[in-house]
Amino acid sequence: MTTKREEKEIIRLIRLDLLGLLSQQEKNKLQKWQEQSATNEKLLRKIRKEQQLLCEMPRFLRKNSEEAWEKFRKQIVIVPKQQQRHKKFRQWLKYAAVVFPLFLCFTVWMITKQNTILPKQNKLPATPMLMLQNGQKFDLRKTAHSVIQPESHLEILNTDGQLIYDTTAIHETTMENAIHIPRGCEYRLLLSDGSSIWLNADSYLKYPVVFNGNERRVYLNGEACFQIKADSTRPFYVETQDLTVKVYGTVFNLNTHYLQGTRTVLAEGSIAILREKGETLYMQPGERADFYRETNSFKIEKVNALSYIAWRDGFFIFDDESLEEILHTLALWYDKEVFYLNDKRRQLHFTCHLKRYERIETILSAISEVTGVIFKCNEKTILIQ
């Protein structure tokens, strides 16, 4: 029978294993524990499997909720009915999954039939703004569930966290709109051509109310996930400070907040990145293209594209990202400034899956517990020691 001290040590090793931070000596120790019994083997295998399933959850959640839950439930091994094993399994799962709050919430919900997902009460009271070409501004929080009519023949519906442009509008206007999404907020646009754009925190998008002529073109500063409607006669372009993306009808994520430049991840379809002097870079689904401003160069890698668009469904998924990049992303959502007393901490790498509206103190506490990094957090700042 294991002591409390031994249990705590195994819990610590499992957390490090999920984060990909085990040393060789710790791997051997966890391996030895795993081989001690079939129960240990089954438990560790299940925890690792649940981590992989989490990456697929955003795809399920975009579908009908009952259908999505049924598909998710069928992929989870049912917990043994025996009371003692049930209790022990849930206890282990709770401890081991502390850095995966979303996974924990769904697991407890499945076992107890109670919804334990935290409410969105920690979301900041930021205000998305719609700006018209004539200088008018609309607070999208105050005008929620209403119709904005910038011209007599044009209506914009503002409802449920999204702007929907009337696709039947007369295609004669040359008006351009812009939308600014502050820190701690997000919004969705349904453009006049039927394309959808999800805008993340601290983002700015400028776009025509109606796409006239032989192309569709918008400008982005920040992060957005694009689902562009195919139109062979009018290609879609997204301009940024660093590059232009030519779209052929696809789903992709574009992020100019990436610390080293601009990051483009293609989930479906095909896109081309256009650079100076006619340089063109074609991307395939499942590829990530990082543009580095300092060296004016690109790096392309194969990735799990779902991890990079999970934010639009309320999740943070980081796959072997540096602490600096993770905290930069979190700071945009929670409106914090990050300061490092020890620069070596910046390049620590983590893999973690987190619920979007979880308190940032909970996230920082989990990272601190398994790595020893000390965070001091107040209303506006995060200090890393």
Side-chain angles (χ1 to χ4, degrees):
M1 186 171 180
T2 58
T3 65
K4 286 188 176 181
R5 184 174 180 178
E6 290 171 331
E7 282 188 357
K8 287 183 178 179
E9 175 62 10
I10 295 302
I11 291 168
R12 185 184 73 85
L13 293 176
I14 291 176
R15 289 174 178 169
L16 289 173
D17 178 59
L18 295 177
L19 288 169
L21 297 173
L22 282 175
S23 66
Q24 188 56 53
Q25 183 178 2
E26 289 168 331
K27 286 181 182 179
N28 295 339
K29 196 171 183 178
L30 183 60
Q31 177 79 17
K32 184 178 180 181
W33 173 83
Q34 181 182 357
E35 294 172 352
Q36 284 179 356
S37 69
T39 300
N40 294 354
E41 168 74 28
K42 184 177 180 180
L43 174 63
L44 189 58
R45 187 168 62 249
K46 179 172 177 59
I47 291 172
R48 287 169 173 168
K49 181 180 179 182
E50 299 288 12
Q51 178 187 353
Q52 295 174 351
L53 286 177
L54 182 58
C55 291
E56 297 298 318
M57 285 190 59
R59 178 169 55 86
F60 293 145
L61 292 178
R62 287 197 297 273
K63 298 181 180 180
N64 176 273
S65 57
E66 292 185 5
E67 176 188 356
W69 173 251
E70 182 65 18
K71 288 188 176 183
F72 182 68
R73 185 188 63 78
K74 287 179 179 179
Q75 294 191 48
I76 298 178
V77 178
I78 300 300
V79 178
K81 293 183 179 179
Q82 292 87 340
Q83 183 66 24
Q84 190 64 29
R85 292 176 62 192
H86 178 101
K87 182 178 179 181
K88 184 176 181 180
F89 184 89
R90 184 169 60 182
Q91 182 182 18
W92 274 100
L93 204 56
K94 177 180 177 182
Y95 288 142
V98 68
V99 293
F100 300 100
L102 177 66
F103 158 64
L104 175 59
C105 289
F106 271 89
T107 303
V108 176
W109 190 94
M110 180 185 69
I111 295 172
T112 64
K113 303 304 181 184
Q114 294 177 354
N115 189 353
T116 61
I117 296 179
L118 294 176
K120 299 182 181 182
Q121 61 187 17
N122 297 305
K123 196 171 182 181
L124 298 172
T127 303
M129 296 294 294
L130 172 66
M131 295 161 282
L132 306 187
Q133 189 168 311
N134 61 10
Q136 281 185 282
K137 295 183 179 180
F138 292 89
D139 182 327
L140 296 181
R141 288 268 171 87
K142 292 182 179 179
T143 58
H145 307 291
S146 65
V147 175
I148 300 171
Q149 193 166 18
E151 293 184 355
S152 59
H153 58 275
L154 176 64
E155 292 184 347
I156 308 169
L157 178 63
N158 179 26
T159 181
D160 297 325
Q162 65 177 334
L163 286 178
I164 303 174
Y165 280 78
D166 183 6
T167 58
T168 63
I170 300 174
H171 287 205
E172 294 179 356
T173 182
T174 58
M175 178 185 289
E176 288 189 324
N177 285 181
I179 184 171
H180 175 248
I181 311 301
R183 288 187 172 206
C185 199
E186 60 188 24
Y187 230 76
R188 181 184 176 186
L189 291 176
L190 182 62
L191 299 179
S192 61
D193 68 337
S195 297
S196 290
I197 304 176
W198 289 260
L199 287 161
N200 208 345
D202 195 20
S203 295
Y204 171 88
L205 184 78
K206 187 177 181 180
Y207 53 95
V209 169
V210 174
F211 293 105
N212 294 311
N214 56 7
E215 68 176 30
R216 299 168 290 168
R217 190 176 292 265
V218 302
Y219 174 82
L220 172 70
N221 181 23
E223 182 174 18
C225 180
F226 295 83
Q227 185 172 328
I228 302 304
K229 187 173 182 180
D231 185 339
S232 59
T233 63
R234 295 185 302 166
F236 197 103
Y237 295 90
V238 183
E239 294 182 358
T240 72
Q241 172 189 345
D242 297 319
L243 49 83
T244 299
V245 177
K246 184 177 182 180
V247 187
Y248 302 96
T250 184
V251 177
F252 68 102
N253 198 77
L254 188 57
N255 186 7
T256 70
H257 286 321
Y258 177 52
L259 283 174
Q260 300 183 65
T262 296
R263 170 168 282 178
T264 309
V265 179
L266 179 61
E268 301 174 14
S270 61
I271 60 177
I273 297 177
L274 310 180
R275 287 288 293 149
E276 301 170 353
K277 300 177 182 179
E279 179 186 359
T280 302
L281 180 66
Y282 294 95
M283 294 182 63
Q284 300 298 319
E287 287 185 342
R288 183 186 73 198
D290 289 340
F291 172 74
Y292 301 98
R293 292 192 186 103
E294 186 175 341
T295 59
N296 196 35
S297 61
F298 279 95
K299 181 180 180 182
I300 299 180
E301 292 183 301
K302 294 292 290 184
V303 296
N304 177 6
L306 289 176
S307 298
Y308 296 88
I309 62 175
W311 63 265
R312 72 181 190 180
D313 298 299
F315 309 121
F316 292 113
I317 298 182
F318 302 108
D319 186 10
D320 193 28
E321 291 283 354
S322 70
L323 179 62
E324 184 177 26
E325 193 67 49
I326 291 172
L327 290 181
H328 177 64
T329 299
L330 295 177
L332 292 177
W333 181 250
Y334 294 101
D335 194 15
K336 305 283 187 182
E337 297 296 331
V338 181
F339 300 94
Y340 293 84
L341 295 181
N342 184 346
D343 276 347
K344 292 182 179 179
R345 302 296 194 192
R346 296 175 185 268
Q347 295 310 312
L348 291 174
H349 279 66
F350 302 91
T351 294
C352 49
H353 307 155
L354 307 163
K355 186 174 183 295
R356 179 94 187 234
Y357 300 111
E358 195 70 73
R359 286 174 53 82
I360 193 169
E361 289 82 2
T362 303
I363 298 172
L364 299 180
S365 177
I367 297 175
S368 179
E369 189 172 349
V370 298
T371 65
V373 176
I374 298 175
F375 301 94
K376 300 293 184 181
C377 187
N378 61 28
E379 185 178 352
K380 284 293 183 181
T381 64
I382 302 171
L383 188 67
I384 296 91
Q385 297 181 338

